[in-house]
Amino acid sequence: MAGRIALFLLIAASCAAAPPEGVPRELARERAAAIRHVRYGLALTLVAGAESTSGREELIFDLDAPRPLLLDYRDGSATRIAVNGSAVPVTAENGHLLLPAANLRAGENRITIEFTSAIALAGKPLTRYQDRDDGSEYIYTLFVPMDASMAFPCFDQPDLKGRFRLEITAPRSWTVVSNTTPETSSPAGGDQQHTVFGETPPISTYLFAFAAGPFRKLERAGMPAMYFRRAKLAAAQKEAPALQETTARGIAYLAGYFAQPFPFSKYDMVVIPGLAYGGMEHAGATFLREESVLFRAAPTRTDLFNRDILLLHELTHQWFGDLTTMRWFDDLWLKEGFAEYMAFQVMAELKPAENAWKRFYEFLKPEAYAIDATQGTTPIYQDVPNLKDAKSAYGAIVYAKAPGILKQLAYLTGENAFRDGLRVYLQEHRYANAEWGDLVRAFERTSGQKLDRWAEMWIRHRGMPQVDVSWNCERGRLARLTLRQQDVLAEGGVWPLVTQLRLAYEGRPPVRLKARLDGQQAEVPEVAGKPCPAFVFANDQDHAYGRFLLDRRSRAAVLQRMGTLRDLFLRTLLWGSLWEAVRVADMAPAAYLRTSTKLLSGESDESLTQSILGNATTALHHYMDATSRRQFVPGLEQTAARLMVSSRDEGVRITWFRGLRRVAETPFGRGRLKDMLAGKISVPGVALRPLDRWSMVAALIALRDPEADAIFRAEQQRDHGGDAPKYAYMAEAARPDAASKRRYFDDYLHNPARPEDWVEESLGPFNYWNQSELTAAYLKPALDALPQVKRERKIFFLLRWLEAFIGGQNSAASDQLVHDFLRQTELDRDLRLKVLQVVDELDRTVAIRRKYGAGTP
C-alpha cells in the first residue's frame, strides 16, 4: 500500500506542477511495481524524403489500481489519445503524456495514440542516412539508453519490458528489418508496401528497433542473415562469409556455455553507415557500423580480430542484456562488461592461435588503468538518479575495467564455478531484469565462496591498487618476497586480490605461484629457498587488475633482456609495465624511446608492435619537447619506411605504414608519404584505400608541406566515392590557419545538418599534435560547449570531444586553464568527472615534462 500511495503522490504532484524531466529512479520503481504485461502495437508510415513519420500505437498493460500515469514521449507530437475507448485531452509536458486516473482501471488497460515523430540526418533516434554513392536513403532507429520515447510514447525504462508488434508502411523498393521476421507483406497503395512483423518476447524499449531502405540481404544456409546498403554490395559479398561464420560459431558456443539456447526467433546483422556506435545489440537484429566491418583502410590481423570481438560482443548481448537485462542503468556493466569478457572467451576457444587473452590485455587494460588512475574515475556500479543521465555510465570503466574484474573473478572462483554461476543467473532471470547482487549471489552458490567484500571493493569502490614487489636473495636463494598495495587515488582503498607471480630465470623455466593479497601487505612464503630469479613480475598471465610496476632490480633486468624474451604474452605485459612507469614519471620517456627504437625493428608480433609504436608516438608528441623529439624522429621515420616494405608479415608492414604517417615530420618522412600517394612506392600486398590516402593528405596539410594544397586538390579529383566529401572535410580540418579553425569550430556547434560521424572524424586532424598553440584558443570554448555537446550528441561523442580538445594540448598554461574552468564553472557531476578523466593525461604530460625537461634520464 505504501508503494501505491507514493506513486499516486509522485504523479499527482507532477501533474499539479510540472512532471519530472526524464525518468527519475523513483518514478521508474513505482511504475514497475504497478504495471505488468506490457504490449505495444506500433503502426508507422515511412515516406521517402519526409522529415517525420506518422504513427498509431495501441498500448496494452495491466495496472494494479486506478491512478494517474505518466507515459514518456518527448520531441514529437501526440494528436489523439484514447484510454479504454474514451478520448482524453492530450496533456503533454516535460517529455511526458498524462493518462488520467478517471479513465484507467485495475486489470487490463488499452491506450490508443496517434502521433508524429521527427526523422533527421543527425541528433534524432529516427535517423536518415543519405547515400552519396547512389542517392538512396536509409532510415534506422537507435534508442539506447532512453530515446525510444523520442520516437513513440512508451514506458521508457529497462525494467518495464514489453512485447512489441510492428507494422510499417514504406516504399516498395525498401527492405525493412526488425526484431522478428515479417508475418505478412502486401501492397499499400501507390509505391508503398505494408509489412507486419511477429510479436517479440518481452524486451526493454531500448532494444526495440527497425531499419528500412534499399538493403541487400546476404544469406547462407545455417548462418545469420546480413543486410548491407546496395552501394557496398561488392565489398559485402567478399566480407560477409567470414562475418557470418564467426557469428554462427559464436551462437553455438554461447548456447552451450550458458546452457541456454539462443533466446530469440532469429538473428540478423544490419550493417549501417554512420552508426554512432560500433554496434547496437537490438534483440534479434544487431546493428553494426559499416565502417567497423567493411574496412576503410587496409586491415591488419589485429583489425580483423577486433572485428570478430565486436561481432561476438554484440552477439553475447542477446543473452547478457536482451534476455536478462539490468534493472537500471547503474548496472550497465552487467551487460557491457560481460559482453566484452565473453567475446574474448569465445575467441580463445574458437581461434586459439589468435592469443585472445594477450590481446585482451592490450585491447582493454591500458585504457581501463588510465581512467581508473584519474580523479574522474567512478565505480563499476554507478549511481544514475535519472535515466536522462544514463549516458554518463558509458565509458572505459564498464567496457574495459569490468571485463578485467570478471577475468580476475574467474581466476578466483575457478572456471567451472564461474560458468555455472552465469548459467544460474541467466536461468533465474530469463526475459526479466536483474541487479549486480543477483549475479554475485549466483557466483557464491556455485563457488562456495563468500564474495561480499570482493564485490564491495571491486564493484562499489572506485580506483585500483598499485601492487609493488620487494624481494631479496641470500646465497643464491630467495629469502623473502613481499607484496604491498596502495590506492592510486590515495583514498584508503584496500582490495582483495589474487594474482599469479612469475619468477623468471635465465635458461630455465619460470616458477609461477598463485598469491593472495587481502590487506595492504602480504608475504609469499612459498618462494623461500627457490633459486634467485633474474626478475619478478607480479601479474603473470594478467589474472589480476591494478598497476603492476617492476621493482628497480627487475626493471634493469627486463630492459637488458627484453630483446631475447620469447614468451609473447610476458613480453606484452612487461612492455605495458614499462609504459606505466613512464606515465607515473618513474621512467624517462627518452629511456623508453631508446629501448623501443632499438627493439621495435626486431618485433615480429603485429599488435605488440602497434602498442609499442603508439606509446612511442605519445612520448614524442606529448611528453618531449621539440629538441628532444628531433633526436628520435629521423630514426623512426627511416625504420618505418624500411619495414613497411620489407617486413615478412603483412600486418607488421601495415602497422609501420600507419606508424610512418603518425611520426612523419621531416622532409624525408613527408617525401615518403607523397611517394606513396603518387604510386612511386607501395606496401607489398597492400592496396591503399581511400581513408589511407586521405589520412596521408591530412598529415601533409597539418605539417605545412609546400605541396599539400595541390595534393589535396588532386585527391578530390581522384576520389569520386560517396565518402569522399567526408574525408575531404576531415583532411581540411588539419589546415594550420586561424580562419580554418574558426570556421570548423563554428560548424561543429552550429550546423545541425552536419552528420556526427563527420565531426567525429575531423576532431583529431583539427587538434593535430603540432598545432597546440593554434588550437589552444578553442580549449575554453570547447569546455564551455560541454552542456550542448552532451545534450545534442550520442553517448560516446562527449569523451571524444574532450580527448581531442584537451588531448591536443601539452602546456602548463592549458592545464591550468582546464583546472580554473573546473573551479569556476558549475557543471553537472557527469561532466565534471569526464573533464577530470581527460585532463589527467594533460596533468601527466606537464609533470613528465617538468621532471625530465629535454627528455634525458
Side-chain angles (χ1 to χ4, degrees), residues 466-469 547-551 555 577 580-581 584 586:
Q466 175 175 309
V467 179
D468 298 310
V469 184
R547 179 190 289 157
F548 291 86
L549 301 181
L550 293 161
D551 63 89
R555 184 194 297 173
S577 182
E580 283 294 308
V584 299
D586 192 47

Side-chain angles (χ1 to χ4, degrees), residues 51-68:
E51 295 182 352
S52 64
T53 177
S54 60
R56 186 178 187 276
E57 174 179 349
E58 182 176 64
L59 170 61
I60 303 171
F61 57 89
D62 287 355
L63 189 62
D64 63 348
R67 66 187 71 249

Side-chain angles (χ1 to χ4, degrees), residues 731-850:
E732 281 211 287
R735 197 170 293 284
D737 65 76
S740 176
K741 301 299 184 191
R742 187 165 52 249
R743 176 169 53 85
Y744 266 80
F745 193 82
D746 181 71
D747 192 62
Y748 292 160
L749 295 181
H750 302 121
N751 182 0
R754 181 68 65 192
E756 188 167 296
D757 60 320
W758 286 43
V759 178
E760 184 181 324
E761 197 90 48
S762 71
L763 289 175
F766 182 99
N767 291 281
Y768 209 79
W769 67 266
N770 68 334
Q771 296 179 20
S772 58
E773 292 185 8
L774 182 61
T775 58
Y778 294 93
L779 179 56
K780 180 62 163 54
L783 294 171
D784 289 336
L786 288 176
Q788 175 187 344
V789 170
K790 179 180 178 180
R791 182 175 62 252
E792 296 178 356
R793 298 294 183 178
K794 296 294 184 183
I795 288 170
F796 300 108
F797 186 89
L798 177 67
L799 268 176
R800 291 164 184 155
W801 178 268
L802 284 168
E803 288 164 352
F805 284 97
I806 297 179
Q809 301 302 309
N810 53 37
S811 70
S814 292
D815 193 44
Q816 186 64 48
L817 184 152
V818 177
H819 286 284
D820 287 345
F821 172 82
L822 286 169
R823 280 191 298 271
Q824 298 165 6
T825 308
E826 289 189 14
L827 293 175
D828 67 44
R829 179 177 178 273
D830 170 45
L831 288 177
R832 183 167 296 277
L833 289 174
K834 291 293 193 295
V835 176
L836 285 169
Q837 279 184 23
V838 177
V839 78
D840 181 83
E841 180 62 21
L842 182 53
D843 295 340
R844 293 179 188 278
T845 297
V846 172
I848 291 168
R849 286 181 165 224
R850 183 178 295 123

Side-chain angles (χ1 to χ4, degrees), residues 456-665:
E456 176 63 28
M457 286 306 300
W458 287 110
I459 297 172
R460 299 296 297 264
H461 197 92
R462 75 176 195 157
M464 65 178 179
Q466 175 175 309
V467 179
D468 298 310
V469 184
S470 60
W471 52 284
N472 70 287
C473 297
E474 296 176 0
R475 295 186 291 278
R477 298 281 170 177
L478 264 170
R480 57 180 290 277
L481 188 150
T482 305
L483 298 176
R484 296 183 179 84
Q485 66 166 293
Q486 57 178 302
D487 185 340
V488 298
L489 300 179
E491 295 177 342
V494 178
W495 287 262
L497 186 145
V498 181
T499 190
Q500 181 170 279
L501 296 175
R502 184 187 187 104
L503 310 180
Y505 298 95
E506 289 279 6
R508 58 185 294 178
V511 172
R512 288 169 166 155
L513 300 167
K514 193 171 187 176
R516 297 186 71 101
L517 182 58
D518 291 325
Q520 289 185 329
Q521 179 175 317
E523 300 292 327
V524 185
E526 296 87 349
V527 307
K530 296 193 182 301
C532 192
F535 65 87
V536 175
F537 184 57
N539 192 22
D540 188 47
Q541 298 293 301
D542 187 40
H543 292 298
Y545 181 92
R547 179 190 289 157
F548 291 86
L549 301 181
L550 293 161
D551 63 89
R552 293 288 176 175
R553 180 173 175 178
S554 293
R555 184 194 297 173
V558 165
L559 288 171
Q560 183 180 2
R561 294 168 173 80
M562 186 72 89
T564 61
L565 294 176
R566 300 181 64 185
D567 186 321
L568 176 60
F569 198 174
L570 174 64
R571 211 159 64 239
T572 300
L573 293 169
L574 293 175
W575 273 112
S577 182
L578 291 176
W579 181 245
E580 283 294 308
V582 174
R583 295 190 73 250
V584 299
D586 192 47
M587 179 179 178
Y592 182 91
L593 277 164
R594 275 195 294 274
T595 303
S596 59
T597 52
K598 176 183 175 183
L599 299 178
L600 261 173
S601 60
E603 180 54 65
S604 59
D605 182 73
E606 169 201 303
S607 61
L608 181 53
T609 299
Q610 288 180 19
S611 173
I612 300 168
L613 189 54
N615 292 337
T617 304
T618 297
L620 284 173
H621 293 164
H622 294 278
Y623 297 165
M624 308 185 79
D625 61 21
T627 301
S628 303
R629 189 177 70 249
R630 293 186 188 111
Q631 298 174 22
F632 294 98
V633 167
L636 273 173
E637 287 181 333
Q638 292 178 24
T639 299
R642 173 170 56 85
L643 290 177
M644 74 179 187
V645 299
S646 65
S647 177
R648 295 180 179 180
D649 183 270
E650 180 179 293
V652 174
R653 294 197 297 273
I654 295 173
T655 297
W656 279 107
F657 154 63
R658 295 177 182 174
L660 176 63
R661 189 182 69 221
R662 293 178 65 182
V663 303
E665 182 178 349

